[in-house]
Short mmCIF file of all heavy atoms in Angstrom, two decimals:
data_model
loop_
_atom_site.label_atom_id
_atom_site.label_comp_id
_atom_site.label_asym_id
_atom_site.label_seq_id
_atom_site.Cartn_x
_atom_site.Cartn_y
_atom_site.Cartn_z
N ALA A 187 132.95 63.40 112.51
CA ALA A 187 132.45 63.93 113.76
C ALA A 187 131.96 62.77 114.61
O ALA A 187 131.34 61.84 114.11
CB ALA A 187 131.32 64.91 113.51
N ARG A 188 132.22 62.83 115.87
CA ARG A 188 131.79 61.79 116.80
C ARG A 188 130.52 62.24 117.49
O ARG A 188 130.36 63.39 117.85
CB ARG A 188 132.88 61.54 117.82
CG ARG A 188 134.15 61.00 117.20
CD ARG A 188 135.14 60.73 118.26
NE ARG A 188 134.97 59.33 118.66
CZ ARG A 188 135.89 58.62 119.24
NH1 ARG A 188 137.04 59.18 119.55
NH2 ARG A 188 135.68 57.38 119.56
N TRP A 189 129.63 61.29 117.68
CA TRP A 189 128.38 61.55 118.37
C TRP A 189 128.33 60.68 119.60
O TRP A 189 128.83 59.56 119.61
CB TRP A 189 127.20 61.18 117.48
CG TRP A 189 126.97 62.16 116.38
CD1 TRP A 189 127.65 62.24 115.21
CD2 TRP A 189 126.01 63.21 116.36
NE1 TRP A 189 127.17 63.26 114.45
CE2 TRP A 189 126.16 63.88 115.13
CE3 TRP A 189 125.04 63.66 117.24
CZ2 TRP A 189 125.38 64.96 114.77
CZ3 TRP A 189 124.26 64.73 116.88
CH2 TRP A 189 124.43 65.37 115.66
N MET A 190 127.72 61.19 120.65
CA MET A 190 127.54 60.41 121.86
C MET A 190 126.05 60.41 122.18
O MET A 190 125.40 61.45 122.14
CB MET A 190 128.32 60.99 123.03
CG MET A 190 128.15 60.18 124.31
SD MET A 190 129.06 60.88 125.68
CE MET A 190 130.71 60.38 125.27
N VAL A 191 125.52 59.25 122.44
CA VAL A 191 124.10 59.10 122.78
C VAL A 191 124.04 58.52 124.18
O VAL A 191 124.76 57.59 124.51
CB VAL A 191 123.39 58.17 121.78
CG1 VAL A 191 121.95 57.98 122.17
CG2 VAL A 191 123.52 58.71 120.37
N SER A 192 123.16 59.09 124.99
CA SER A 192 122.98 58.56 126.34
C SER A 192 121.50 58.46 126.64
O SER A 192 120.68 59.20 126.10
CB SER A 192 123.70 59.43 127.37
OG SER A 192 123.14 60.72 127.37
N VAL A 193 121.16 57.54 127.52
CA VAL A 193 119.78 57.34 127.92
C VAL A 193 119.45 58.33 129.03
O VAL A 193 120.25 58.58 129.91
CB VAL A 193 119.58 55.89 128.43
CG1 VAL A 193 118.17 55.68 128.92
CG2 VAL A 193 119.93 54.89 127.34
N SER A 194 118.25 58.90 128.93
CA SER A 194 117.83 59.88 129.92
C SER A 194 116.37 59.63 130.26
O SER A 194 115.58 59.23 129.41
CB SER A 194 118.00 61.30 129.37
OG SER A 194 117.42 62.22 130.26
N GLY A 195 116.01 59.89 131.48
CA GLY A 195 114.63 59.78 131.91
C GLY A 195 113.85 61.06 131.65
O GLY A 195 112.64 61.12 131.83
N GLU A 196 114.54 62.10 131.23
CA GLU A 196 113.92 63.40 130.97
C GLU A 196 113.29 63.41 129.58
O GLU A 196 113.80 62.78 128.66
CB GLU A 196 114.96 64.52 131.06
CG GLU A 196 115.63 64.65 132.41
CD GLU A 196 114.65 65.06 133.50
OE1 GLU A 196 113.82 65.95 133.25
OE2 GLU A 196 114.74 64.49 134.60
N PRO A 197 112.18 64.17 129.41
CA PRO A 197 111.60 64.27 128.08
C PRO A 197 112.52 65.07 127.16
O PRO A 197 113.21 65.99 127.60
CB PRO A 197 110.28 65.00 128.31
CG PRO A 197 110.46 65.73 129.60
CD PRO A 197 111.44 64.91 130.41
N GLY A 198 112.53 64.71 125.90
CA GLY A 198 113.36 65.41 124.93
C GLY A 198 112.65 66.63 124.37
O GLY A 198 111.47 66.87 124.64
N ALA A 199 113.38 67.41 123.62
CA ALA A 199 112.80 68.59 122.97
C ALA A 199 111.94 68.14 121.79
O ALA A 199 112.13 67.04 121.27
CB ALA A 199 113.93 69.50 122.48
N PRO A 200 111.01 68.96 121.37
CA PRO A 200 110.21 68.61 120.18
C PRO A 200 111.12 68.46 118.97
O PRO A 200 112.18 69.09 118.89
CB PRO A 200 109.28 69.81 120.01
CG PRO A 200 109.28 70.53 121.31
CD PRO A 200 110.61 70.23 121.94
N SER A 201 110.69 67.64 118.03
CA SER A 201 111.47 67.44 116.81
C SER A 201 111.53 68.75 116.03
O SER A 201 110.75 69.68 116.26
CB SER A 201 110.86 66.35 115.95
OG SER A 201 109.64 66.80 115.38
N LEU A 202 112.45 68.82 115.08
CA LEU A 202 112.56 70.02 114.25
C LEU A 202 111.28 70.25 113.47
O LEU A 202 110.84 71.39 113.31
CB LEU A 202 113.75 69.91 113.31
CG LEU A 202 115.12 69.86 113.98
CD1 LEU A 202 116.22 69.68 112.94
CD2 LEU A 202 115.38 71.12 114.80
N ALA A 203 110.65 69.20 112.99
CA ALA A 203 109.38 69.34 112.25
C ALA A 203 108.29 69.88 113.17
O ALA A 203 107.52 70.75 112.78
CB ALA A 203 108.96 68.00 111.66
N GLU A 204 108.24 69.38 114.40
CA GLU A 204 107.25 69.88 115.36
C GLU A 204 107.50 71.35 115.69
O GLU A 204 106.56 72.15 115.79
CB GLU A 204 107.28 69.05 116.64
CG GLU A 204 106.77 67.64 116.45
CD GLU A 204 107.05 66.74 117.66
OE1 GLU A 204 108.06 66.95 118.36
OE2 GLU A 204 106.24 65.83 117.88
N GLN A 205 108.76 71.72 115.84
CA GLN A 205 109.11 73.11 116.13
C GLN A 205 108.71 74.00 114.95
O GLN A 205 108.20 75.11 115.15
CB GLN A 205 110.60 73.24 116.40
CG GLN A 205 111.05 72.60 117.70
CD GLN A 205 112.55 72.67 117.89
OE1 GLN A 205 113.21 73.61 117.45
NE2 GLN A 205 113.11 71.65 118.54
N ALA A 206 108.93 73.54 113.73
CA ALA A 206 108.57 74.32 112.54
C ALA A 206 107.06 74.49 112.46
O ALA A 206 106.56 75.59 112.18
CB ALA A 206 109.10 73.64 111.28
N ARG A 207 106.29 73.40 112.71
CA ARG A 207 104.83 73.50 112.68
C ARG A 207 104.32 74.47 113.74
O ARG A 207 103.41 75.26 113.49
CB ARG A 207 104.19 72.12 112.88
CG ARG A 207 104.18 71.25 111.64
CD ARG A 207 103.31 70.03 111.81
NE ARG A 207 103.78 69.13 112.86
CZ ARG A 207 104.66 68.15 112.68
NH1 ARG A 207 105.15 67.91 111.49
NH2 ARG A 207 105.02 67.38 113.68
N GLU A 208 104.92 74.42 114.91
CA GLU A 208 104.52 75.32 115.99
C GLU A 208 104.81 76.77 115.62
O GLU A 208 103.99 77.67 115.84
CB GLU A 208 105.25 74.96 117.29
CG GLU A 208 104.84 75.80 118.47
CD GLU A 208 105.55 75.38 119.75
OE1 GLU A 208 105.62 74.16 120.03
OE2 GLU A 208 106.03 76.28 120.46
N GLY A 209 105.96 77.02 115.02
CA GLY A 209 106.32 78.36 114.58
C GLY A 209 105.36 78.88 113.51
O GLY A 209 104.93 80.03 113.56
N GLU A 210 105.00 78.02 112.55
CA GLU A 210 104.05 78.40 111.51
C GLU A 210 102.67 78.70 112.11
O GLU A 210 102.01 79.65 111.71
CB GLU A 210 103.93 77.31 110.44
CG GLU A 210 105.16 77.18 109.56
CD GLU A 210 105.40 78.42 108.72
OE1 GLU A 210 104.44 78.96 108.13
OE2 GLU A 210 106.55 78.87 108.66
N ALA A 211 102.25 77.88 113.07
CA ALA A 211 100.95 78.10 113.72
C ALA A 211 100.94 79.45 114.45
O ALA A 211 99.94 80.17 114.41
CB ALA A 211 100.64 76.96 114.68
N LYS A 212 102.05 79.79 115.10
CA LYS A 212 102.12 81.08 115.80
C LYS A 212 102.05 82.24 114.80
O LYS A 212 101.38 83.25 115.06
CB LYS A 212 103.41 81.18 116.61
CG LYS A 212 103.38 80.35 117.87
CD LYS A 212 104.67 80.49 118.65
CE LYS A 212 104.64 79.64 119.91
NZ LYS A 212 105.88 79.77 120.68
N LEU A 213 102.72 82.11 113.66
CA LEU A 213 102.67 83.16 112.65
C LEU A 213 101.27 83.27 112.06
O LEU A 213 100.79 84.38 111.79
CB LEU A 213 103.69 82.89 111.54
CG LEU A 213 105.16 83.05 111.94
CD1 LEU A 213 106.08 82.57 110.82
CD2 LEU A 213 105.47 84.50 112.31
N ASP A 214 100.59 82.14 111.85
CA ASP A 214 99.21 82.17 111.36
C ASP A 214 98.30 82.89 112.34
O ASP A 214 97.48 83.72 111.94
CB ASP A 214 98.68 80.74 111.13
CG ASP A 214 99.26 80.08 109.89
OD1 ASP A 214 99.87 80.78 109.04
OD2 ASP A 214 99.08 78.85 109.76
N GLN A 215 98.45 82.59 113.62
CA GLN A 215 97.63 83.24 114.64
C GLN A 215 97.90 84.73 114.69
O GLN A 215 96.97 85.54 114.84
CB GLN A 215 97.85 82.60 116.01
CG GLN A 215 97.27 81.21 116.14
CD GLN A 215 95.77 81.21 115.87
OE1 GLN A 215 95.03 82.04 116.38
NE2 GLN A 215 95.33 80.28 115.04
N ALA A 216 99.17 85.12 114.56
CA ALA A 216 99.51 86.54 114.56
C ALA A 216 98.88 87.23 113.35
O ALA A 216 98.36 88.35 113.46
CB ALA A 216 101.03 86.73 114.55
N ALA A 217 98.91 86.57 112.19
CA ALA A 217 98.31 87.15 110.98
C ALA A 217 96.80 87.30 111.16
O ALA A 217 96.23 88.33 110.81
CB ALA A 217 98.62 86.29 109.76
N LEU A 218 96.16 86.28 111.70
CA LEU A 218 94.71 86.34 111.91
C LEU A 218 94.32 87.42 112.91
O LEU A 218 93.21 87.95 112.85
CB LEU A 218 94.18 84.99 112.37
CG LEU A 218 94.13 83.91 111.30
CD1 LEU A 218 93.84 82.54 111.91
CD2 LEU A 218 93.08 84.26 110.25
N GLY A 219 95.22 87.77 113.79
CA GLY A 219 94.95 88.81 114.78
C GLY A 219 95.23 90.22 114.27
O GLY A 219 94.89 91.19 114.95
N HIS A 220 95.81 90.34 113.09
CA HIS A 220 96.15 91.66 112.55
C HIS A 220 94.86 92.41 112.20
O HIS A 220 93.93 91.84 111.65
CB HIS A 220 97.03 91.51 111.30
CG HIS A 220 97.62 92.80 110.86
ND1 HIS A 220 96.92 93.73 110.12
CD2 HIS A 220 98.85 93.32 111.07
CE1 HIS A 220 97.69 94.76 109.88
NE2 HIS A 220 98.88 94.55 110.44
N PRO A 221 94.80 93.71 112.50
CA PRO A 221 93.57 94.49 112.25
C PRO A 221 93.11 94.46 110.79
O PRO A 221 91.90 94.40 110.53
CB PRO A 221 93.94 95.90 112.68
CG PRO A 221 95.08 95.74 113.62
CD PRO A 221 95.81 94.51 113.20
N LEU A 222 94.01 94.50 109.83
CA LEU A 222 93.60 94.46 108.43
C LEU A 222 92.99 93.11 108.06
O LEU A 222 92.02 93.04 107.30
CB LEU A 222 94.79 94.77 107.51
CG LEU A 222 95.28 96.21 107.52
CD1 LEU A 222 96.53 96.36 106.66
CD2 LEU A 222 94.19 97.16 107.05
N VAL A 223 93.55 92.05 108.58
CA VAL A 223 93.00 90.72 108.32
C VAL A 223 91.63 90.60 108.98
O VAL A 223 90.68 90.11 108.37
CB VAL A 223 93.96 89.61 108.81
CG1 VAL A 223 93.34 88.23 108.66
CG2 VAL A 223 95.28 89.69 108.06
N GLN A 224 91.52 91.10 110.19
CA GLN A 224 90.23 91.08 110.89
C GLN A 224 89.17 91.85 110.10
O GLN A 224 88.05 91.39 109.95
CB GLN A 224 90.37 91.68 112.29
CG GLN A 224 91.13 90.79 113.25
CD GLN A 224 90.35 89.53 113.57
OE1 GLN A 224 89.16 89.58 113.84
NE2 GLN A 224 91.03 88.40 113.52
N ALA A 225 89.54 93.01 109.56
CA ALA A 225 88.61 93.81 108.78
C ALA A 225 88.18 93.07 107.51
O ALA A 225 87.01 93.09 107.14
CB ALA A 225 89.23 95.15 108.43
N ALA A 226 89.12 92.41 106.86
CA ALA A 226 88.79 91.67 105.64
C ALA A 226 87.86 90.50 105.97
O ALA A 226 86.89 90.24 105.23
CB ALA A 226 90.07 91.15 104.98
N LEU A 227 88.12 89.80 107.06
CA LEU A 227 87.27 88.68 107.43
C LEU A 227 85.86 89.14 107.81
O LEU A 227 84.88 88.44 107.53
CB LEU A 227 87.90 87.89 108.58
CG LEU A 227 89.20 87.14 108.24
CD1 LEU A 227 89.81 86.53 109.49
CD2 LEU A 227 88.96 86.09 107.17
N GLU A 228 85.77 90.32 108.41
CA GLU A 228 84.45 90.87 108.75
C GLU A 228 83.71 91.35 107.50
O GLU A 228 82.49 91.23 107.40
CB GLU A 228 84.59 92.02 109.75
CG GLU A 228 84.99 91.54 111.14
CD GLU A 228 85.25 92.70 112.09
OE1 GLU A 228 84.82 93.83 111.81
OE2 GLU A 228 85.89 92.45 113.13
N ALA A 229 84.45 91.90 106.53
CA ALA A 229 83.84 92.42 105.31
C ALA A 229 83.34 91.30 104.40
O ALA A 229 82.43 91.50 103.61
CB ALA A 229 84.85 93.29 104.55
N PHE A 230 83.95 90.13 104.51
CA PHE A 230 83.59 88.99 103.67
C PHE A 230 83.21 87.81 104.56
O PHE A 230 84.04 86.95 104.84
CB PHE A 230 84.75 88.62 102.74
CG PHE A 230 85.14 89.73 101.81
CD1 PHE A 230 86.23 90.55 102.11
CD2 PHE A 230 84.42 89.97 100.65
CE1 PHE A 230 86.59 91.57 101.26
CE2 PHE A 230 84.78 91.00 99.80
CZ PHE A 230 85.86 91.80 100.10
N PRO A 231 81.94 87.76 104.99
CA PRO A 231 81.51 86.67 105.87
C PRO A 231 81.80 85.30 105.22
O PRO A 231 81.59 85.11 104.03
CB PRO A 231 80.01 86.90 106.01
CG PRO A 231 79.82 88.35 105.71
CD PRO A 231 80.86 88.69 104.70
N GLY A 232 82.29 84.40 106.00
CA GLY A 232 82.61 83.06 105.51
C GLY A 232 84.02 82.94 104.96
O GLY A 232 84.47 81.84 104.64
N ALA A 233 84.71 84.07 104.81
CA ALA A 233 86.09 84.03 104.30
C ALA A 233 87.00 83.40 105.34
O ALA A 233 86.73 83.44 106.54
CB ALA A 233 86.57 85.44 103.98
N LYS A 234 88.07 82.80 104.87
CA LYS A 234 89.05 82.22 105.78
C LYS A 234 90.44 82.38 105.18
O LYS A 234 90.59 82.54 103.97
CB LYS A 234 88.75 80.76 106.06
CG LYS A 234 88.77 79.88 104.83
CD LYS A 234 88.41 78.47 105.18
CE LYS A 234 88.38 77.61 103.90
NZ LYS A 234 88.06 76.24 104.21
N MET A 235 91.42 82.36 106.02
CA MET A 235 92.80 82.46 105.56
C MET A 235 93.23 81.07 105.09
O MET A 235 93.12 80.10 105.84
CB MET A 235 93.72 82.93 106.69
CG MET A 235 95.15 83.12 106.24
SD MET A 235 96.24 83.79 107.53
CE MET A 235 96.47 82.34 108.54
N VAL A 236 93.70 80.98 103.86
CA VAL A 236 94.14 79.69 103.34
C VAL A 236 95.65 79.66 103.12
O VAL A 236 96.23 78.60 102.97
CB VAL A 236 93.41 79.31 102.03
CG1 VAL A 236 91.92 79.11 102.29
CG2 VAL A 236 93.63 80.34 100.96
N ALA A 237 96.28 80.83 103.10
CA ALA A 237 97.73 80.90 102.94
C ALA A 237 98.21 82.20 103.55
O ALA A 237 97.46 83.16 103.68
CB ALA A 237 98.11 80.83 101.47
N ARG A 238 99.48 82.20 103.91
CA ARG A 238 100.09 83.39 104.48
C ARG A 238 101.40 83.62 103.75
O ARG A 238 102.18 82.70 103.54
CB ARG A 238 100.36 83.17 105.97
CG ARG A 238 100.91 84.38 106.69
CD ARG A 238 101.48 84.03 108.07
NE ARG A 238 102.81 83.47 107.94
CZ ARG A 238 103.14 82.21 108.17
NH1 ARG A 238 102.25 81.35 108.59
NH2 ARG A 238 104.37 81.77 108.00
N ARG A 239 101.62 84.86 103.32
CA ARG A 239 102.90 85.21 102.73
C ARG A 239 103.55 86.23 103.64
O ARG A 239 102.96 87.26 103.94
CB ARG A 239 102.72 85.83 101.34
CG ARG A 239 102.46 84.78 100.29
CD ARG A 239 102.59 85.40 98.94
NE ARG A 239 101.24 85.45 98.39
CZ ARG A 239 100.89 86.13 97.34
NH1 ARG A 239 101.76 86.88 96.72
NH2 ARG A 239 99.67 86.11 96.89
N ASP A 240 104.74 85.93 104.05
CA ASP A 240 105.46 86.85 104.93
C ASP A 240 106.02 88.01 104.11
O ASP A 240 106.38 87.85 102.94
CB ASP A 240 106.60 86.12 105.65
CG ASP A 240 106.07 85.00 106.53
OD1 ASP A 240 104.98 85.17 107.10
OD2 ASP A 240 106.75 83.97 106.65
N ALA A 241 106.08 89.17 104.73
CA ALA A 241 106.66 90.33 104.07
C ALA A 241 108.13 90.06 103.81
O ALA A 241 108.81 89.46 104.65
CB ALA A 241 106.50 91.57 104.95
N PRO A 242 108.63 90.47 102.65
CA PRO A 242 110.05 90.25 102.38
C PRO A 242 110.90 91.04 103.37
O PRO A 242 110.56 92.16 103.73
CB PRO A 242 110.25 90.76 100.96
CG PRO A 242 109.06 91.59 100.66
CD PRO A 242 107.95 91.16 101.59
N SER A 243 111.98 90.44 103.81
CA SER A 243 112.85 91.14 104.75
C SER A 243 113.74 92.11 104.00
O SER A 243 113.96 91.97 102.80
CB SER A 243 113.71 90.13 105.53
OG SER A 243 114.65 89.54 104.66
N ALA A 244 114.25 93.06 104.69
CA ALA A 244 115.12 94.06 104.08
C ALA A 244 116.40 93.41 103.54
O ALA A 244 117.02 93.90 102.61
CB ALA A 244 115.46 95.16 105.08
N ALA A 245 116.79 92.29 104.13
CA ALA A 245 118.02 91.62 103.72
C ALA A 245 117.80 90.70 102.52
O ALA A 245 118.75 90.24 101.92
CB ALA A 245 118.58 90.81 104.88
N ALA A 246 116.53 90.45 102.15
CA ALA A 246 116.26 89.55 101.03
C ALA A 246 116.65 90.20 99.72
O ALA A 246 116.35 91.36 99.49
CB ALA A 246 114.78 89.17 101.01
N PRO A 247 117.33 89.44 98.86
CA PRO A 247 117.71 90.01 97.57
C PRO A 247 116.50 90.24 96.69
O PRO A 247 115.51 89.50 96.76
CB PRO A 247 118.63 88.95 96.97
CG PRO A 247 118.25 87.68 97.65
CD PRO A 247 117.77 88.07 99.01
N GLU A 248 116.54 91.28 95.88
CA GLU A 248 115.43 91.56 94.97
C GLU A 248 115.47 90.57 93.83
O GLU A 248 116.51 90.09 93.42
CB GLU A 248 115.53 92.99 94.45
CG GLU A 248 115.23 94.03 95.50
CD GLU A 248 115.03 95.40 94.90
OE1 GLU A 248 114.65 95.48 93.72
OE2 GLU A 248 115.28 96.37 95.62
N SER A 249 114.31 90.32 93.27
CA SER A 249 114.19 89.40 92.15
C SER A 249 114.78 90.03 90.90
O SER A 249 114.65 91.22 90.66
CB SER A 249 112.72 89.06 91.92
OG SER A 249 112.58 88.32 90.73
N ASP A 250 115.42 89.20 90.07
CA ASP A 250 115.94 89.66 88.79
C ASP A 250 114.89 89.51 87.70
O ASP A 250 115.13 89.85 86.55
CB ASP A 250 117.19 88.85 88.40
CG ASP A 250 118.35 89.15 89.35
OD1 ASP A 250 118.38 90.25 89.91
OD2 ASP A 250 119.22 88.27 89.49
N ASP A 251 113.72 88.98 88.03
CA ASP A 251 112.65 88.77 87.08
C ASP A 251 112.09 90.14 86.65
O ASP A 251 111.63 90.90 87.48
CB ASP A 251 111.55 87.92 87.71
CG ASP A 251 110.42 87.60 86.76
OD1 ASP A 251 110.46 88.05 85.59
OD2 ASP A 251 109.49 86.88 87.17
N PRO A 252 112.13 90.45 85.33
CA PRO A 252 111.63 91.77 84.90
C PRO A 252 110.14 91.95 85.11
O PRO A 252 109.66 93.07 85.13
CB PRO A 252 111.99 91.80 83.41
CG PRO A 252 112.19 90.38 83.01
CD PRO A 252 112.61 89.65 84.24
N ASP A 253 109.38 90.86 85.28
CA ASP A 253 107.95 90.96 85.49
C ASP A 253 107.58 91.16 86.95
O ASP A 253 106.42 91.33 87.28
CB ASP A 253 107.23 89.72 84.95
CG ASP A 253 107.34 89.64 83.43
OD1 ASP A 253 107.38 90.72 82.78
OD2 ASP A 253 107.38 88.52 82.91
N THR A 254 108.56 91.10 87.84
CA THR A 254 108.30 91.28 89.26
C THR A 254 108.23 92.77 89.55
O THR A 254 109.20 93.50 89.33
CB THR A 254 109.40 90.65 90.11
OG1 THR A 254 109.47 89.26 89.80
CG2 THR A 254 109.12 90.83 91.59
N PRO A 255 107.05 93.27 90.03
CA PRO A 255 106.94 94.70 90.32
C PRO A 255 107.88 95.10 91.44
O PRO A 255 108.13 94.35 92.37
CB PRO A 255 105.50 94.88 90.76
CG PRO A 255 104.83 93.59 90.53
CD PRO A 255 105.83 92.56 90.29
N LYS A 256 108.43 96.27 91.31
CA LYS A 256 109.32 96.81 92.33
C LYS A 256 108.68 98.06 92.91
O LYS A 256 107.76 98.63 92.34
CB LYS A 256 110.67 97.13 91.71
CG LYS A 256 111.33 95.89 91.11
CD LYS A 256 112.79 96.06 90.94
CE LYS A 256 113.51 94.86 90.41
NZ LYS A 256 112.81 93.78 89.82
N GLU A 257 109.18 98.50 94.06
CA GLU A 257 108.62 99.69 94.70
C GLU A 257 108.68 100.87 93.74
O GLU A 257 109.70 101.12 93.11
CB GLU A 257 109.43 100.00 95.97
CG GLU A 257 108.82 101.12 96.78
CD GLU A 257 109.55 101.32 98.09
OE1 GLU A 257 110.12 100.36 98.62
OE2 GLU A 257 109.52 102.46 98.56
N GLY A 258 107.56 101.56 93.61
CA GLY A 258 107.48 102.71 92.72
C GLY A 258 107.10 102.33 91.29
O GLY A 258 106.89 103.18 90.46
N ASP A 259 107.02 101.04 91.02
CA ASP A 259 106.64 100.57 89.69
C ASP A 259 105.14 100.82 89.50
O ASP A 259 104.33 100.34 90.28
CB ASP A 259 106.95 99.09 89.55
CG ASP A 259 106.85 98.59 88.13
OD1 ASP A 259 106.38 99.35 87.27
OD2 ASP A 259 107.21 97.43 87.89
N GLU A 260 104.78 101.55 88.47
CA GLU A 260 103.38 101.92 88.29
C GLU A 260 102.74 101.21 87.11
O GLU A 260 101.76 101.66 86.56
CB GLU A 260 103.26 103.43 88.15
CG GLU A 260 103.71 104.13 89.42
CD GLU A 260 103.50 105.62 89.36
OE1 GLU A 260 102.79 106.11 88.49
OE2 GLU A 260 104.07 106.29 90.24
N ARG A 261 103.31 100.08 86.71
CA ARG A 261 102.68 99.31 85.63
C ARG A 261 101.38 98.73 86.15
O ARG A 261 101.29 98.33 87.30
CB ARG A 261 103.59 98.17 85.18
CG ARG A 261 104.81 98.66 84.43
CD ARG A 261 105.59 97.51 83.91
NE ARG A 261 106.30 96.90 85.06
CZ ARG A 261 106.97 95.77 85.01
NH1 ARG A 261 107.00 95.08 83.90
NH2 ARG A 261 107.59 95.31 86.05
N PRO A 262 100.36 98.65 85.27
CA PRO A 262 99.08 98.09 85.72
C PRO A 262 99.15 96.62 86.01
O PRO A 262 99.93 95.90 85.57
CB PRO A 262 98.13 98.36 84.56
CG PRO A 262 98.96 98.77 83.40
CD PRO A 262 100.32 99.12 83.92
#
């Protein structure tokens, strides 16, 4: 594949890493704004969000791990 590089006086787009960090920050802010998260933070003064797990998408394959609970699984 051939690449062409040219000099420009215009600012470039953010790097892919910067774009990923910005996207993660937006998702964190959306999570912090969710009513359930707000209620948990109010119920536990001093609590903070240290990690965020996104809900699995409908297109994501299910785990083959037998220890992974599935919908309707009532194991304790």
Side-chain angles (χ1 to χ4, degrees):
R188 296 182 92 158
W189 286 80
M190 180 181 284
V191 178
S192 62
V193 177
S194 172
E196 299 295 318
S201 70
L202 295 177
E204 291 169 329
Q205 291 176 32
R207 281 191 297 271
E208 183 178 315
E210 289 296 315
K212 285 181 181 180
L213 290 172
D214 286 346
Q215 289 302 313
L218 287 169
H220 191 280
L222 289 175
V223 175
Q224 288 292 314
L227 293 174
E228 289 175 17
F230 300 99
K234 61 183 178 179
M235 183 176 75
V236 296
R238 184 193 80 250
R239 281 192 250 167
D240 299 325
S243 69
E248 289 192 26
S249 172
D250 293 333
D251 183 359
D253 293 329
T254 301
K256 300 200 177 15
E257 187 174 331
D259 192 351
E260 297 185 14
R261 289 185 285 172

